[in-house]
Amino acid sequence: MAEQSTLILAGGSALGAYQGGAYETLVEQGFHPDQIFAVSSGAVNAALIAGNPPEKRISVLRSFWNTAVQDGAWAFSPFGSTVWDNKRGHALQSLLLGSPAFFRARFPGILSMLPGMPTDTGLVEFSPLRARLDQLVDFERLNNGEMRVVIVAVDANSGEEVRFDSNLVTITVEHLLASCGFIPFFPPTQIDDRVMVDGGMTSNLPLEVALNEPATDDRLCIALDLFRRIAPDFNTVGQAMDRQMELLLSTQSWRALKNLRQCHELRRQLRLLGNQIPKQQRGDPTLASALAEGSKTERATTLLMLCHAGVSHDSEMRAFDFSRPSLTERWDVGRSDMTHALEALGSKRAQPGEFTIHAFNGSEAIHDADIDSR
């Protein structure tokens, strides 16, 4: 039986280089997703993949992340101090100056908080990202149905999660920018009279969006999270900011994973109970919804989930560290983590009716008991 392949990409700004390296390994191993569900910087990577022919995807991803590096004219060392070149300095430079492929400071931005200044809704603007996506992404190809792409954003007024599905709507650069609008750093985007912000506000790794859909075939789902659930003690304000982000966003992923397991088990029990009902009674309308829910577990789902544990060049406020050493190492770690995970997975696949999870924090396996306790 055919196996449907799904790629699920989290947001994480500069951490997204990890996904580029992981995807390169996937391609080398012959994995080509039928569909991608993505948020924020994961949505950017999804567009770079789906908006290019297979033979160009890795080179385009590399080109994007190479030009995202903050160096040269985008970097400076005030007072001639080498202290500014440390890990914390890289992130501060990005916040002040931006990234050539992502964002730049806007006016009035943070100055809007001062008396007498015009109001504003973001600290930076996305004009570099818009220009780079227009250059690197063939949106006609992205929307041609060869690969389904689902971009997740949030309605800033209602809090409703909004899904832009290339099978249903024509995805444009505006939809990608909407999914990247992590307020208050990045501004919201207006789409069809709705104010949209980052999908990470509700689901930074859109597991439920992808896995709650009924499966018509057995499926292999590979999810790439960019934030850690477990981290060392923090001792500075910058490290506290990192930990806040990690707790807010990674907790969503593990809660979603537990909910998916519980829902699958309930549906499996419904299917088993339905099999005990005599055939002539299964047409009873009062049983229809329960039997339909049980039928959703007839196929096998194998989920391989990687969490980016960090790199040696990680800084405080690491999601904003676009320095060359950090981006290069994240790409390389993504490659090695995915190689290790695929070796561990091997030919293991869920059996019909099963939902199995193979999770890794970097190269370290996370066991079922640990998933349930998180």
Side-chain angles (χ1 to χ4, degrees):
M1 181 177 292
E3 182 180 66
Q4 183 187 65
S5 57
T6 298
L7 188 60
I8 309 171
L9 302 177
S13 197
L15 303 178
Y18 176 86
Q19 295 174 344
Y23 179 75
E24 185 173 29
T25 294
L26 286 173
V27 170
E28 292 171 355
Q29 297 296 319
F31 178 89
H32 300 284
D34 301 304
Q35 52 186 5
I36 307 180
F37 295 79
V39 165
S40 195
S41 58
V44 171
N45 284 330
L48 295 170
I49 294 168
N52 283 281
E55 67 274 11
K56 288 183 61 178
R57 289 168 183 166
I58 299 302
S59 63
V60 168
L61 280 166
R62 279 193 176 276
S63 173
F64 176 85
W65 287 103
N66 282 337
T67 55
V69 169
Q70 190 224 41
D71 57 14
W74 285 78
F76 72 102
S77 297
F79 319 117
S81 172
T82 57
V83 175
W84 190 260
D85 295 323
N86 65 15
K87 296 179 180 182
R88 184 184 307 175
H90 291 316
L92 290 173
Q93 287 182 59
S94 295
L95 284 171
L96 289 172
L97 300 176
S99 156
F102 263 95
F103 59 90
R104 66 184 181 195
R106 62 189 271 157
F107 179 82
I110 195 168
L111 297 178
S112 65
M113 301 177 69
L114 298 176
M117 295 297 293
T119 59
D120 207 342
T121 56
L123 305 183
V124 298
E125 64 176 34
F126 277 134
S127 53
L129 180 58
R130 181 190 298 275
R132 202 73 179 113
L133 290 173
D134 283 337
Q135 179 185 17
L136 294 178
V137 176
D138 179 347
F139 282 93
E140 184 175 348
R141 172 180 282 274
L142 188 153
N143 289 289
N144 71 4
E146 176 185 344
M147 183 186 299
R148 181 188 177 201
V149 177
V150 180
I151 304 300
V152 181
V154 173
D155 186 312
N157 298 120
S158 68
E160 176 190 358
E161 187 174 86
V162 181
R163 303 166 186 181
F164 301 115
D165 187 336
S166 63
N167 283 356
L168 303 175
V169 302
T170 300
I171 291 179
T172 68
V173 69
E174 300 300 324
H175 297 96
L176 302 176
L177 298 181
S179 185
C180 291
F182 197 88
I183 54 176
F185 297 106
F186 305 115
T189 300
Q190 187 162 318
I191 297 181
D192 298 331
D193 298 323
R194 302 177 77 177
V195 178
M196 298 292 180
V197 296
D198 198 306
M201 298 294 175
T202 60
S203 181
N204 193 57
L205 181 68
L207 291 167
E208 291 176 309
V209 177
L211 296 176
N212 267 335
E213 292 190 343
T216 55
D217 297 303
D218 292 344
R219 54 189 177 182
L220 171 63
C221 304
I222 297 181
L224 302 177
D225 205 353
L226 297 176
F227 289 96
R228 304 170 292 191
R229 181 69 188 275
I230 299 176
D233 292 340
F234 52 87
N235 300 299
T236 69
V237 171
Q239 291 172 354
M241 291 173 62
D242 270 353
R243 195 64 191 132
Q244 177 202 48
M245 192 86 72
E246 288 173 339
L247 290 173
L248 288 173
L249 300 181
S250 70
T251 299
Q252 298 174 355
S253 302
W254 293 102
R255 185 181 297 119
L257 209 53
K258 287 193 284 189
N259 289 342
L260 286 165
R261 287 168 68 106
Q262 291 169 357
C263 286
H264 183 275
E265 180 58 23
L266 288 172
R267 287 168 175 162
R268 189 184 72 85
Q269 294 291 344
L270 284 172
R271 181 165 60 88
L272 293 175
L273 287 172
N275 291 340
Q276 303 301 313
I277 298 174
K279 200 174 212 179
Q280 62 271 24
Q281 296 180 17
R282 293 181 189 174
D284 187 335
T286 61
L287 300 176
S289 62
L291 294 176
E293 283 296 315
S295 69
K296 293 179 181 179
T297 63
E298 292 177 353
R299 303 301 184 192
T301 296
T302 304
L303 173 64
L304 177 62
M305 180 172 166
L306 274 67
C307 301
H308 180 25
V311 298
S312 62
H313 281 95
D314 265 343
S315 68
E316 298 178 8
M317 300 172 287
R318 63 197 187 107
F320 293 97
D321 178 10
F322 286 88
S323 64
R324 186 173 297 279
S326 294
L327 292 187
T328 299
E329 191 172 3
R330 284 178 198 138
W331 184 287
D332 292 342
V333 169
R335 278 185 56 83
S336 61
D337 283 355
M338 181 56 72
T339 299
H340 178 273
L342 290 176
E343 289 175 352
L345 178 66
S347 60
K348 299 173 189 172
R349 293 294 187 274
Q351 297 301 307
E354 290 183 348
F355 172 41
T356 63
I357 301 168
H358 304 268
F360 294 84
N361 185 53
S363 60
E364 181 182 351
I366 301 173
H367 302 290
D368 280 357
D370 296 323
I371 293 172
D372 290 333
S373 68
R374 293 180 183 214

